[in-house]
Amino acid sequence: MIEQQATNVGQFPPVEAELTGNVVVDTSVTPGNPSRRGAGTFRAIMRNRKALIGVIILLGFAGMAIFAPWIAPGDPNDLIAKRNLPPSSEYWFGTTGSGQDVFAQTVLGARASLGVGVAVGIFTTFLAALIGMTAGYFGGKVDDFLSLFMNVFLIIPALPLLIVLVGFLGGGGPMYFVFILGITGWSWGARVLRSQTLSLREKDFVSAAEVSGESRIRIIGGEIFPNMISLVAANLFGATIYAVGAMAALQFLGLGNVSLVSWGTNLYWAQNNGALLTGAWWTYVPSGLAIALVAFAFALTNFAVDEVTNPRLKAQRVARESLAKLGHKSKKNSRATPVIRHAN
Amino acid sequence: MHYLARRIGFYLIAAWASITLNFFLPRMMPGDPADIVFARAQGRMTPESLEAMKKAYGLSDAPLIVQYWDYIKAVFSGNLGTSFLYFPTPVTEVIGTGLRWTLLLGLTATILAFVFGSIIGILGAWRRGGVLDSALPPLLLFIGSFPYFWLATIALYFFAFKHDIFPIRHAYEDGMIPNWSWEFIRSVIYHLILPATTVLIVSIGGWVLGMRNAMISTLAEDYVTMAEAKGLSERRVMFAYAARNALLPNVTAFGMALGFVLSGALLTEIVFAYPGLGYQLLNAVRGLDYPLMQGLFLMITFAVLAANLLVDLLYIRLDPRVRRR
């Protein structure tokens, strides 16, 4: 699904609240051997052009983060040259307002930004799955309570809460960001996963598992969970985008530790040194572009996962392709979802 | 009206949760919060205001539950303490001036984004595979990938600093006195355009996608096919049959979006030095004005809750099924 892809901090509504509802339900059950189906889905995703671009960008950034000390050796905070030097062959991205190498800062910044982003993504997805699936599966009082809990978290605006939390508790290391972004970011995913669990619970294969005496944990983990992997993946991507953006925003505001090199901190210093007013755009562009590329790559991958796993979109594509094969170039798509006999 | 009662109950619980959170925030600081604040304020606080703060927080030797009760009573009687930065102005007064600017900016941007985004989504879904459908969403997605504050700063640089088309800061001309004259209103609009447009550009993508998805499911409905079969005009089918029903889920999202904008406007206000709640919040954090921080957080949360309640009312009006439940 596409929820959360627009979630840079706060400003953008996760619009798809209710409306992906029926699509969500549709994605769920495809009969067949789960592991083989998984491999097929993976291949299909990799064949998708959007996904390929997304994955290549992400791998590039991951490589940059991992090999940062070799790509740009030395402490990125060292003052190595004159201030505000424009990009040159010596300093590819120029130097900052205090004479640091922008290239080194951008490369090293990937570590904190991506590290925290991915960690928050995993942490929130875990929380979301745990709480959402528990609520959805057990229903009744448990669901009432947990739903209330997630709705309250959902409605309390995250950015002000984050700002106030940092304001009161201080601190600003990477682990601290993982913690506060994690506890403020899980509720959306929990709600989505809850409603999916609710609908899966009613399916025959779950009843069959119940009748055959499987334990609840096994049913949740072994029967329901594998059927919402694509949703969980979407949540993971969305949460990571959210975390990278939210952390950058907080750091841009100068909250947290401003000597921790990350893309957000780079932008904070650029702003503080009046980068744009002095025309030193090169201190401002690389980190912003890096954040954007990461978010875009995650969103592309997310789209692709959606396209591949969503039967409705898939049916459309298959129909269009087979029509094209027959030399039929229809300009106007049919609006109803075409019926594809061998959609799997 | 059972539905409405449940929603109101929920908002009350959410309000209570945020008040409780607010109560525990200063108590989560290591050590005695009042002393820490006093130390961090480094002489910007008089001993009297320290006493005042202790009193406002209900920080006494009384048991926690009593302090808690006192705090809730204080909040409901509208006493959020005294601001340090603007001592001795009460927090409520400081917030009051910011709230209207935030509402103006937030509402303008959200409503415009909702209207334009929905229209683009409707047209895109209607002509699937057309320009609006294939080229625009990826473009909006790409723009939406940039950190908002980054785009806003770039926009500020180009349109206000470099080319001087729009003003660089504040909500109206410096030195003007707020009134209802045409001149003042024009100045307010002039100052509003750039910040509102930046919010619009980054948030419109969500609406386009949301509306498009809803339209695609609605267009597959039998009544749309029926309407087409009857030979109704394209426009009529598109708007009166499909879009009208596809709009419903987006209205719910509108409530959430209002909330997001109220809090998302924080960054806008900070970049454009627009004197709303967000700008005040950052100043409060930088100036270690804890009572103001807490008050602003509560006020933003309450505004979000109120916005959602309004949308619920609207929803009841729009969707007869909800009324019957």
Side-chain angles (χ1 to χ4, degrees):
Chain A
M1 306 299 95
I2 36 169
E3 54 267 336
Q4 284 197 344
Q5 67 208 1
T7 352
N8 283 348
V9 186
Q11 65 273 66
F12 320 148
V15 183
E16 289 70 29
E18 314 293 326
L19 46 96
T20 42
N22 58 0
V23 184
V24 170
V25 177
D26 287 346
T27 54
S28 51
V29 216
T30 345
N33 179 333
S35 63
R36 257 195 54 215
R37 182 158 32 92
T41 309
F42 182 73
R43 268 202 307 277
I45 291 174
M46 291 321 295
R47 266 206 308 272
N48 186 304
R49 200 163 29 134
K50 281 181 195 155
L52 203 62
I53 298 174
V55 169
I56 288 173
I57 297 177
L58 288 180
L59 284 179
F61 275 106
M64 192 168 107
I66 294 168
F67 300 111
W70 290 277
I71 300 173
D75 185 346
N77 277 337
D78 280 347
L79 311 178
I80 46 139
K82 281 198 190 131
R83 294 167 178 199
N84 284 334
L85 289 179
S88 62
S89 57
E90 197 177 351
Y91 304 110
W92 290 358
F93 290 179
T95 61
T96 68
S98 26
Q100 296 139 332
D101 185 2
V102 177
F103 179 71
Q105 289 200 325
T106 312
V107 172
L108 256 299
R111 288 200 147 186
S113 291
L114 284 185
V116 170
V118 172
V120 174
I122 294 171
F123 182 38
T124 48
T125 307
F126 173 74
L127 277 180
L130 187 72
I131 297 173
M133 290 177 72
T134 311
Y137 184 75
F138 288 97
K141 287 256 154 55
V142 178
D143 185 22
D144 286 345
F145 177 74
L146 289 178
S147 290
L148 179 70
F149 193 55
M150 53 183 112
N151 285 334
V152 167
F153 260 89
L154 201 60
I155 209 167
I156 291 181
L159 186 61
L161 178 60
L162 285 171
I163 294 178
V164 171
L165 274 179
V166 181
F168 269 99
L169 304 182
M175 284 317 287
Y176 179 74
F177 276 112
V178 172
F179 176 70
I180 59 168
L181 291 171
I183 55 168
T184 51
W186 59 271
S187 52
W188 178 254
R191 212 168 90 152
V192 174
L193 295 181
R194 170 187 165 269
S195 56
Q196 176 72 349
T197 310
L198 267 182
S199 73
L200 282 178
R201 218 184 113 195
E202 303 300 323
K203 303 279 179 191
D204 290 341
F205 67 90
V206 174
S207 319
E210 264 166 7
V211 172
S212 66
E214 282 186 30
S215 70
R216 282 172 164 174
I217 294 184
R218 230 203 105 117
I219 294 175
I220 296 183
E223 304 285 347
I224 296 182
F225 187 75
N227 277 299
M228 31 194 247
I229 288 282
S230 70
L231 215 52
V232 173
N235 190 58
L236 182 67
F237 297 155
T240 307
I241 299 176
Y242 159 77
V244 172
M247 174 161 142
L250 289 176
Q251 291 185 320
F252 173 72
L253 298 179
L255 303 172
N257 180 359
V258 288
S259 60
L260 172 77
V261 177
S262 79
W263 292 334
T265 319
N266 294 348
L267 292 173
Y268 167 74
W269 286 115
Q271 170 88 344
N272 238 22
N273 292 332
L276 289 180
L277 306 188
T278 53
W281 53 268
W282 54 87
T283 60
Y284 207 75
V285 170
S287 292
L289 211 56
I291 297 172
L293 277 176
V294 167
F296 187 60
F298 270 116
L300 274 185
T301 319
N302 201 356
F303 249 137
V305 170
D306 191 30
E307 253 172 40
V308 170
T309 54
N310 185 337
R312 187 165 263 157
L313 294 173
K314 187 167 157 184
Q316 245 169 54
R317 202 188 56 232
V318 173
R320 206 169 40 230
E321 279 167 10
S322 40
L323 276 178
K325 240 180 247 164
L326 295 171
H328 205 289
K329 258 184 94 185
S330 89
K331 247 190 132 173
K332 193 175 166 194
N333 264 323
S334 95
R335 273 185 295 278
T337 303
V339 178
I340 303 296
R341 295 279 170 213
H342 307 286
N344 293 312
Chain B
M1 287 296 103
H2 185 58
Y3 171 79
L4 191 60
R6 263 209 335 257
R7 295 304 297 167
I8 291 177
F10 167 68
Y11 294 130
L12 285 179
I13 291 174
W16 165 78
S18 54
I19 293 172
T20 306
L21 192 69
N22 234 344
F23 171 77
F24 281 107
L25 270 176
R27 288 167 180 78
M28 284 194 299
M29 294 166 85
D32 182 354
D35 290 339
I36 293 174
V37 169
F38 190 70
R40 281 207 207 163
Q42 293 170 340
R44 270 172 290 174
M45 238 174 107
T46 57
E48 292 88 72
S49 60
L50 177 70
E51 274 315 303
M53 187 183 84
K54 282 195 171 180
K55 215 171 134 202
Y57 277 172
L59 286 171
S60 53
D61 298 328
L64 204 59
I65 188 81
V66 177
Q67 297 183 18
Y68 182 51
W69 181 239
D70 286 343
Y71 181 72
I72 289 183
K73 272 198 294 196
V75 168
F76 276 98
S77 57
N79 175 13
L80 294 173
T82 313
S83 162
F84 299 165
L85 278 178
Y86 308 95
F87 196 79
T89 322
V91 167
T92 39
E93 215 167 288
V94 179
I95 293 175
T97 56
L99 185 62
R100 61 187 100 132
W101 294 116
T102 297
L103 284 179
L104 177 69
L105 177 61
L107 284 176
T108 315
T110 321
I111 291 172
L112 288 180
F114 177 73
V115 172
F116 287 119
S118 297
I119 292 177
I120 295 174
I122 292 169
L123 295 176
W126 187 255
R127 289 189 214 293
R128 250 189 292 166
V131 180
L132 274 186
D133 191 40
S134 50
L136 200 63
L139 182 69
L140 289 174
L141 190 68
F142 184 66
I143 294 175
S145 298
F146 282 91
Y148 168 72
F149 61 84
W150 191 85
L151 279 182
T153 317
I154 299 274
L156 184 72
Y157 171 68
F158 271 107
F159 295 108
F161 185 72
K162 197 133 193 213
H163 293 295
D164 204 19
I165 302 170
F166 292 110
I168 209 157
R169 61 174 74 86
H170 298 326
Y172 51 87
E173 207 68 49
D174 291 337
M176 264 187 161
I177 296 155
N179 55 49
W180 287 111
S181 72
W182 170 234
E183 206 178 334
F184 180 73
I185 292 172
R186 207 174 49 193
S187 170
V188 166
I189 293 173
Y190 179 52
H191 282 73
L192 186 64
I193 295 174
L194 195 58
T197 311
T198 57
V199 179
L200 178 76
I201 288 173
V202 287
S203 60
I204 200 170
W207 294 114
V208 173
L209 288 167
M211 194 63 204
R212 175 182 174 273
N213 285 7
M215 273 295 274
I216 287 176
S217 345
T218 317
L219 285 174
E221 297 278 351
D222 289 340
Y223 58 79
V224 176
T225 318
M226 179 66 187
E228 266 188 294
K230 279 196 289 189
L232 296 178
S233 74
E234 205 178 357
R235 179 173 302 189
R236 181 109 192 263
V237 179
M238 177 159 54
F239 288 106
Y241 284 72
R244 204 173 153 189
N245 288 291
L247 204 58
L248 218 47
N250 260 13
V251 171
T252 326
F254 185 70
M256 295 183 72
L258 267 183
F260 278 97
V261 163
L262 284 182
S263 64
L266 300 192
L267 288 169
T268 324
E269 290 170 6
I270 289 163
V271 171
F272 292 97
Y274 201 81
L277 298 182
Y279 190 57
Q280 289 180 331
L281 182 59
L282 187 68
N283 280 340
V285 171
R286 289 199 175 141
L288 299 169
D289 190 342
Y290 291 92
L292 187 57
M293 265 155 73
Q294 285 187 300
L296 284 166
F297 171 66
L298 263 194
M299 188 44 71
I300 294 170
T301 311
F302 286 169
V304 170
L305 295 181
N308 275 275
L309 181 63
L310 285 178
V311 170
D312 281 338
L313 291 172
L314 184 69
Y315 203 75
I316 291 174
R317 182 88 192 73
L318 291 178
D319 189 347
R321 285 170 301 184
V322 177
R323 252 173 288 166
R324 247 180 282 134
R325 235 189 285 160

